[in-house]
Amino acid sequence: MSWEPVIGLEVHVHLKTRTKVFCRCPVGFGAGENTQTCPVCLGFPGALPVINRRAVEWTIKLGLALGCEIAQHAVFARKHYPYPDLPKGYQISQYDLPSCINGKMLLPTAEGDRVIGIVRAHLEEDAAKTIHVGGRSGRIGGADYSLIDFNRGGTPLVEIVTAPDIRSADEARRFLQLLRQTVVELGISDAEMEKGALRVDANVSVRPTGSDELRTRTEIKNMNSFNFIARGIEAEVERQIGVWDSGDEVRQQTYDFDAATGTLTARRSKEEADDYRYFPEPDLVPVEPPADLVEALCAELPELPAERIRRLEAALDLDRATVLVTGGLDRLWGETVAAGADRTAAANVIANALVGAGVDLGAVSPAELAKLVGARDRIPRTAFDEAIAKLGDPGFSAEPYLTQEAVADSAELEPIVARVLEANPGQVEAFRNGKQGLLGFFVGQVMKETDGKANPRVVSELVRSRLEA
Amino acid sequence: MIDTLRLTAEGAMGLLERGELSAGELHAAYLGAIAELDGELHCYLRTSEEPSGDGIPIALKDVISTKGIETTAGSRILSGYTPVFDATVAARVKGAGLSLLGKTNTDEFAMGSSTENSAWGPSRNPWDPARVPGGSGGGTAAAVSAGLAPWGLGSDTGGSIKQPSALCGNVGLRPTYGTVSRYGVVAFASSLDQVGPVARTVRDVALLYSIVAGRDPLDSTTAELPEAVQLPEGDSLAGVRLAVPKQVGDLDAIEPGVRAAFEASLERARDLSAEVGECDLPLSYRYGMPCYYLVAPAEASSNLARYDGVRYGLRTPASAYDEMVEETRDDGFGPEPKRRIMLGTYALSAGYYDAYYGQAQRVRTLLIREHRDALEGFDAIVTPTSPTVAFPIGDKAADPLAMYACDLLTIPSCLAGLPGLSIPCGLSDGLPVGLQLIGRQFGENGLFRIGHAFEQAIGFDTVPERLR
Amino acid sequence: MAITREEVLHAARLAWLALTDEELGRLTDELGAILDAVGVVAELDLADVPPTSHPLDLVNVWDEDEPRPSLSLDEVFANAPDRSGDHFRVPPVGE
Ligand SMILES: [Mg+2]
Ligand SMILES: [Zn+2]
């Protein structure tokens, strides 16, 4: 039997407001432990929450970008669960009346747009940070004691819940890249995963291909990069297929994905853990956003990444368009092309060389970049790489690099190519047996031998003609 | 010699203004009275030896956070807890120059109607120390009654200001929900808790209300007062229309002596040219208590979830976190908070929410409508405040439902968010009886006017007979 | 009986209370009696009545996104039962 993955995502995004969602402590990374705390976010007796207006507005703005209906009456609720990082014993979160519902995100694919439903997007507070100290390799179960820093507690989070519309780990990754770029462009979050500003839980089940049943799903938590997420989902999909194929049943369970070992560890949970006893937060009043506010937020929306991918696709291929847009590179690309660069070459240089060199994109002159793109095959690789690395420097000029010429003389390059092929007989045989991808390896070796001064296009032709002879 | 038993807050202010007395001397006079009587009455959990302002003194119920001064809410779980911030009401009284006399006893987390649930022992009624002063604000009410404070602030969730004021023979106001900040007030049930004044006269109550009332940016559930507080004057009830709920006549829980004093006050009202009519509150007296004992414990179970031994208060040592929290809570909470936490947790838990908490919220809607209808054409609803006079200590301690019934008459208007004023209206067997006046939302000024006129006509001597 | 001992135990776990057997027994009786009393709310057919979670009719009460000073560390830890450096310390959090 063939199986189809059914995947839904819950994405938590930190909003980059200046202050927390229910108190006016500053939000920030790297401040001294517990220095950004007050009676409210420490849960002192009698302290009361007050909503951060900007956090509400940004939640609505994101909802609009995701095509959601904006609730005319949203209500905060208390969600109870016991953990030391939750100082009140409950988290304030929107529950049955969230700010945004029923949206969708279009994921451009080669076969047309995939529609990923957005069930809801709601505003809530983040928990504090607990550190487990001592014991067996710092594992929770074996710690000697735990330490709590309440700085992060109360940071505004938007939780975005998708419908189970995602059909592969790769699709999940592409959805998340597009979502991240969307929140970054809205200016509401840095969405940096390494800082915990974007966190993803995946709900995964599988079903026989073609059926529309929904089987028991499991949840994978704690995945802190898009690659880990894709790998975690892949591992879980495979595991579930194995379970069903062996005649067993998948049981509802929560897993942590360990990226180092590629394994899933089941979380032990108490039977009561899911009885959250939600009820409307009596310390807050409902949010009923005035129509003119929603209209103003709507008017502020920029052209969104998914739309731009579609627009760029007409000029480039889908993959390059996607990489440029989700990398926030498409604007520079457009200006570089306008300055005379070839579309595809410009896309390649920007997405690979420029991003790889860590250049400050905002400081790059599209005109100078266009010159380098045009000269890429002509000038020595070392000169090109150096020029790219310096593109962000103030007053950068491409001229000094453009006058250098790469070695394109076949007579000069032939002996070097021969030497490289001789030195790598195994790779030569593999290439001849169909491993065409090794071409890049040979070119790389020749470039190394010539200190990057060879013209890679000429080298490539020489290697090919020799091997295919 | 200052007669703290008869001195009103206004009177005390006059003494200071005219320079007949210094704030220090006034403070010392109350400390002297406390030294003399509080050993028996146990109104105070702690007192301030020096005045903190140049105005007259005030007593604050121990649920009100006071910066640098231990605040326990009558609970062991908060033993030693010293707030690093002032509750807004504490800051406002401080801002008005009032000087903190001390923190007064309360049922643990304001849960109770007798002050017997205090972890630090019960307070006693100045009229008869073998009896309770009511609760949960028994400490404040008894202190005012015994001349141990000119006035004080309490908190009222289902009757914790009005009922002790009635039982101790003084005046207490539970304000309209949302007129007084709850910021820094140890929470019991957030949608019901309301801070209010206790004093010996209606004018004093109005004065203190004017100091603490008004929107607080730190409490999202506060509103601006629609009109300034007016100190009541005059003694006529002409044109005032009072409504007695039909059901009051049939409530067996109301003691005959209480009923007699209540009816005598109605006569007095007619003498003062008030119109006394009838209104209908059938749901309030049948479903008010059940509704309250679902809503309040549910919110309490949530509000008390923060006492985990991590950041403040009691911690019982244990080798694992979960165990530490459970043992701390078991050691720190007395029987009544535990009962309410359990009841509230159950009422909110999966499978029971709709039948209990959800249903109670709908009942609440009906009670709000019923009160709105009842007040149509009337200025206030009048009932006895408490069905009984002060009862002997220990009488109801073993029977939670009997204790809960003490608030039968105060609860419905609390659920509706309406203001209620209790004034002393007479004695039954030598013990004070309270008259409850319930007004419209934000109708405090009307209650003050009516209450003041009543007070003039009744001429109740607020000094306990045994202390005269 | 409106509530069983097992349900009381379940609620106690949710409520984070370690109850003794004696407390558990007493609470089962007391909660049973209280639930009988408050259970009368079930008599009413309230399908068409909206719930009220708050007696005050306010919406959109919020604050601007402007930082205000946090507490000093002395204030943060003034009442802490156990402090390690600038962290709150607790016994190990079990699984
Ligand atoms: Mg969440
Ligand atoms: Zn804070």
Side-chain angles (χ1 to χ4, degrees):
Chain A
M1 183 165 11
S2 84
W3 297 87
E4 175 182 58
V6 178
I7 300 157
L9 300 175
E10 287 172 24
V11 186
H12 286 87
V13 179
H14 263 178
L15 296 180
K16 59 174 184 185
T17 49
R18 296 178 69 194
T19 68
K20 296 185 179 185
V21 59
F22 298 122
C23 65
R24 297 297 82 78
C25 285
V27 174
F29 202 72
E33 291 97 13
N34 287 301
T35 57
Q36 297 177 330
T37 61
C38 72
V40 177
C41 57
L42 289 169
F44 282 176
L48 299 172
V50 180
I51 298 170
N52 180 335
R53 175 159 79 164
R54 181 170 287 156
V56 170
E57 290 180 357
W58 283 359
T59 303
I60 293 171
K61 197 166 176 179
L62 177 57
L64 291 167
L66 296 175
C68 291
E69 296 163 27
I70 304 306
Q72 285 172 29
H73 180 80
V75 172
F76 286 97
R78 294 182 179 181
K79 176 184 183 179
H80 301 83
Y81 62 93
Y83 208 70
D85 60 12
L86 207 55
K88 303 183 293 297
Y90 53 84
Q91 177 197 33
I92 305 178
S93 173
Q94 293 177 333
Y95 174 52
D96 53 349
L97 296 167
S99 277
C100 318
I101 54 164
N102 289 339
K104 61 178 187 290
M105 188 146 106
L106 300 181
L107 195 59
T109 73
E111 295 82 41
D113 284 340
R114 288 270 296 122
V115 180
I116 310 297
I118 304 293
V119 177
R120 56 190 284 145
H122 71 249
L123 180 58
E124 62 185 27
E125 57 180 336
D126 202 356
K129 210 166 72 190
T130 308
I131 305 161
H132 307 287
V133 181
R136 286 177 276 132
S137 66
R139 277 191 59 231
I140 292 179
D144 293 331
Y145 55 88
S146 302
L147 298 175
I148 314 165
D149 172 8
F150 287 96
N151 281 358
R152 194 184 68 189
T155 302
L157 285 179
V158 178
E159 177 176 338
I160 300 137
V161 180
T162 78
D165 289 343
I166 297 168
R167 291 290 168 268
S168 71
D170 184 56
E171 197 164 270
R173 185 204 337 250
R174 284 185 295 122
F175 170 84
L176 289 168
Q177 284 169 336
L178 202 56
L179 178 65
R180 178 179 61 181
Q181 189 58 25
T182 303
V183 299
V184 168
E185 288 181 18
L186 290 175
I188 63 174
S189 175
D190 292 328
E192 291 175 291
M193 292 195 87
E194 58 278 15
K195 288 185 185 170
L198 190 153
R199 302 199 293 265
V200 181
D201 300 336
N203 292 303
V204 178
S205 65
V206 297
R207 66 185 174 199
T209 305
S211 98
D212 55 7
E213 66 180 313
L214 286 176
R215 296 199 173 192
T216 306
R217 61 178 201 191
T218 59
E219 190 175 9
I220 320 174
K221 286 185 178 286
N222 257 350
M223 297 180 290
N224 56 5
S225 86
F226 290 158
N227 283 332
F228 292 169
I229 291 161
R231 279 169 51 200
I233 291 172
E234 258 160 29
E236 177 57 11
V237 166
E238 258 172 57
R239 190 193 67 82
Q240 288 189 15
I241 291 173
V243 170
W244 291 119
D245 279 345
S246 70
D248 219 339
E249 289 213 348
V250 169
R251 264 180 296 275
Q252 194 153 356
Q253 179 62 272
T254 302
Y255 293 95
D256 287 315
F257 180 65
D258 183 345
T261 61
T263 52
L264 298 159
T265 318
R267 272 194 193 182
R268 248 202 284 160
S269 62
K270 292 185 177 172
E271 52 177 315
E272 295 85 11
D274 283 343
D275 196 340
Y276 293 127
R277 287 159 290 137
Y278 282 101
F279 76 98
E281 165 57 285
D283 290 332
L284 294 173
V285 303
V287 171
E288 298 189 350
D292 56 351
L293 172 65
V294 177
E295 273 165 37
L297 290 168
C298 204
E300 284 175 21
L301 291 185
E303 187 189 16
L304 294 170
E307 301 161 29
R308 298 211 309 284
I309 290 175
R310 278 290 173 230
R311 191 158 55 73
L312 256 62
E313 199 194 350
L316 280 167
D317 56 302
L318 177 70
D319 284 347
R320 284 197 176 85
T322 303
V323 168
L324 287 179
V325 171
T326 56
L329 306 165
D330 55 317
R331 190 171 142 166
L332 178 59
W333 174 83
E335 290 166 356
T336 307
V337 169
D342 173 73
R343 290 174 172 178
T344 307
N348 291 346
V349 168
I350 291 171
N352 301 321
L354 202 56
V355 170
V359 174
D360 172 12
L361 298 176
V364 170
S365 150
E368 300 306 304
L369 175 56
K371 290 177 196 165
L372 286 174
V373 170
R376 185 172 65 148
D377 286 345
R378 187 169 51 75
I379 65 175
R381 175 57 59 91
T382 43
F384 177 78
D385 288 347
E386 191 187 320
I388 289 289
K390 291 185 171 168
L391 254 175
D393 293 356
F396 172 84
S397 163
E399 294 307 329
Y401 299 93
L402 301 179
T403 55
Q404 302 179 38
E405 285 286 336
V407 180
D409 181 350
S410 302
E412 201 175 318
L413 292 173
E414 286 266 15
I416 302 169
V417 170
R419 218 164 50 231
V420 164
L421 294 183
E422 242 164 72
N424 296 287
Q427 277 87 345
V428 168
E429 184 165 346
F431 182 90
R432 288 196 167 127
N433 288 334
K435 258 196 133 180
Q436 298 282 319
L438 282 168
L439 183 65
F441 166 77
F442 296 121
V443 174
Q445 292 295 307
V446 174
M447 296 303 290
K448 212 194 232 170
E449 293 278 318
T450 60
D451 285 335
K453 296 210 167 59
N455 180 321
R457 192 170 40 77
V458 176
V459 173
S460 171
E461 275 163 20
L462 287 174
V463 170
R464 194 179 283 281
S465 67
R466 249 180 186 269
L467 287 175
E468 285 169 0
Chain B
M1 184 67 196
I2 305 157
D3 181 10
T4 60
L5 270 167
R6 295 197 180 271
L7 191 59
T8 63
E10 265 193 300
M13 283 177 180
L15 291 176
L16 291 188
E17 267 163 34
R18 293 189 300 274
E20 292 172 31
L21 207 62
S22 73
E25 286 165 329
L26 192 59
H27 195 89
Y30 281 99
L31 286 182
I34 291 168
E36 194 182 324
L37 289 177
D38 205 46
E40 179 180 44
L41 298 177
H42 190 44
C43 302
Y44 284 92
L45 297 178
R46 64 204 68 80
T47 50
S48 304
E49 290 315 302
E50 296 297 326
S52 51
D54 51 13
I56 70 162
I58 185 167
L60 299 180
K61 188 181 180 182
D62 202 35
V63 296
I64 297 170
S65 294
T66 40
K67 187 172 177 171
I69 295 167
E70 190 184 4
T71 300
T72 67
S75 179
R76 235 172 84 70
I77 209 159
L78 278 174
S79 52
Y81 170 67
T82 304
V84 296
F85 65 107
D86 270 325
T88 296
V89 290
R92 286 190 179 175
V93 297
K94 224 182 244 182
L98 301 184
S99 176
L100 179 67
L101 198 46
K103 302 298 288 289
T104 42
N105 200 10
T106 167
D107 283 300
E108 189 174 354
F109 286 102
M111 295 173 178
S113 307
S114 68
T115 321
E116 290 167 288
N117 295 334
S118 168
W120 318 118
S123 299
R124 292 170 181 274
N125 193 311
W127 293 77
D128 176 357
R131 293 177 185 260
V132 304
S136 63
T140 311
V144 170
S145 194
L148 311 188
W151 57 8
L153 284 176
S155 70
D156 186 302
T157 306
S160 286
I161 291 173
K162 295 185 285 186
Q163 184 256 15
S165 281
L167 268 48
C168 291
N170 47 41
V171 184
L173 171 73
R174 176 205 159 86
T176 301
Y177 184 90
T179 55
V180 182
S181 171
R182 293 182 294 115
Y183 187 79
V185 180
V186 178
F188 163 14
S190 310
S191 78
L192 291 154
D193 293 348
Q194 201 56 200
V195 170
V198 175
R200 208 166 286 120
T201 68
V202 174
R203 279 178 63 93
D204 279 358
V205 160
L207 189 57
L208 185 49
Y209 177 67
S210 74
I211 291 170
V212 294
R215 160 128 178 93
D216 175 15
L218 299 179
D219 179 353
S220 308
T221 63
T222 53
E224 216 58 79
L225 299 189
E227 57 177 22
V229 177
Q230 290 147 23
L231 292 193
E233 280 164 24
D235 51 11
S236 162
L237 284 175
V240 169
R241 291 156 307 169
L242 301 173
V244 181
K246 267 187 215 164
Q247 288 72 22
V248 164
D250 299 327
L251 290 173
D252 297 335
I254 300 175
E255 287 176 350
V258 169
R259 199 178 283 284
F262 174 65
E263 266 152 22
S265 335
L266 295 180
E267 271 318 303
R268 198 76 62 117
R270 290 190 191 96
D271 294 346
L272 295 171
S273 315
E275 227 180 85
V276 180
E278 199 177 60
C279 68
D280 201 10
L281 293 172
L283 299 174
S284 293
Y285 297 113
R286 177 158 179 81
Y287 300 106
M289 263 239 309
C291 176
Y292 176 84
Y293 278 99
L294 288 167
V295 171
E299 293 183 8
S301 72
S302 174
N303 284 328
L304 271 53
R306 68 184 58 198
Y307 301 102
D308 57 8
V310 175
R311 288 143 292 129
Y312 44 78
L314 190 72
R315 174 187 292 194
T316 302
S319 57
Y321 173 75
D322 286 8
E323 202 188 320
M324 180 279 282
V325 177
E326 291 189 347
E327 296 296 339
T328 297
R329 290 166 66 80
D330 193 44
D331 291 347
F333 289 133
E336 189 59 32
K338 278 184 192 164
R339 206 148 37 221
R340 299 205 194 184
I341 289 171
M342 291 289 292
L343 181 59
T345 302
Y346 184 74
L348 287 172
S349 67
Y352 300 101
Y353 182 95
D354 290 337
Y356 289 119
Y357 186 73
Q359 186 80 354
Q361 281 195 314
R362 290 170 204 277
V363 173
R364 197 168 180 182
T365 306
L366 295 185
L367 298 187
I368 290 171
R369 290 180 188 165
E370 185 170 273
H371 276 80
R372 195 186 47 212
D373 293 348
L375 278 161
E376 210 157 291
F378 292 104
D379 298 299
I381 298 168
V382 284
T383 74
T385 307
S386 162
T388 71
V389 292
F391 46 90
I393 287 177
D395 234 23
K396 300 177 197 261
D399 183 355
L401 280 171
M403 191 67 87
Y404 296 173
C406 294
D407 295 326
L408 170 72
L409 297 164
T410 48
I411 276 175
S413 59
C414 294
L415 284 163
L418 301 180
L421 182 72
S422 181
I423 60 169
C425 69
L427 293 174
S428 164
D429 288 335
L431 294 165
V433 173
L435 177 75
Q436 175 178 235
L437 297 160
I438 295 159
R440 286 194 183 77
Q441 196 175 36
F442 303 114
E444 274 79 358
N445 280 336
L447 292 185
F448 294 147
R449 218 174 47 242
I450 299 168
H452 178 71
F454 256 120
E455 188 178 52
Q456 304 308 302
I458 293 167
F460 181 85
D461 184 350
T462 58
V463 179
E465 279 174 335
R466 55 185 281 278
L467 299 178
R468 282 174 199 164
Chain C
M1 184 57 72
I3 187 168
T4 65
R5 198 182 164 90
E6 284 61 46
E7 287 173 315
V8 174
L9 199 58
H10 175 72
R13 283 200 210 101
L14 282 177
W16 237 356
L17 285 169
L19 299 178
T20 61
D21 273 2
E22 185 270 326
E23 282 179 310
L24 197 60
R26 189 167 42 75
L27 274 167
T28 305
D29 294 343
E30 287 172 355
L31 293 181
I34 297 169
L35 285 167
D36 279 346
V38 300
V40 301
V41 296
E43 296 169 0
L44 295 165
D45 177 6
L46 303 174
D48 298 332
V49 180
T52 296
S53 55
H54 221 273
L56 199 61
D57 224 2
L58 288 175
V59 297
N60 300 343
V61 179
W62 42 37
D63 195 4
E64 298 308 318
D65 185 29
E66 299 295 336
R68 278 199 290 272
S70 294
L71 292 176
S72 70
L73 284 171
D74 283 350
E75 292 169 316
V76 169
F77 291 105
N79 290 284
D82 192 7
R83 172 182 181 176
S84 169
D86 292 338
H87 284 103
F88 289 89
R89 182 159 67 178
V90 295
V93 178
E95 279 169 288

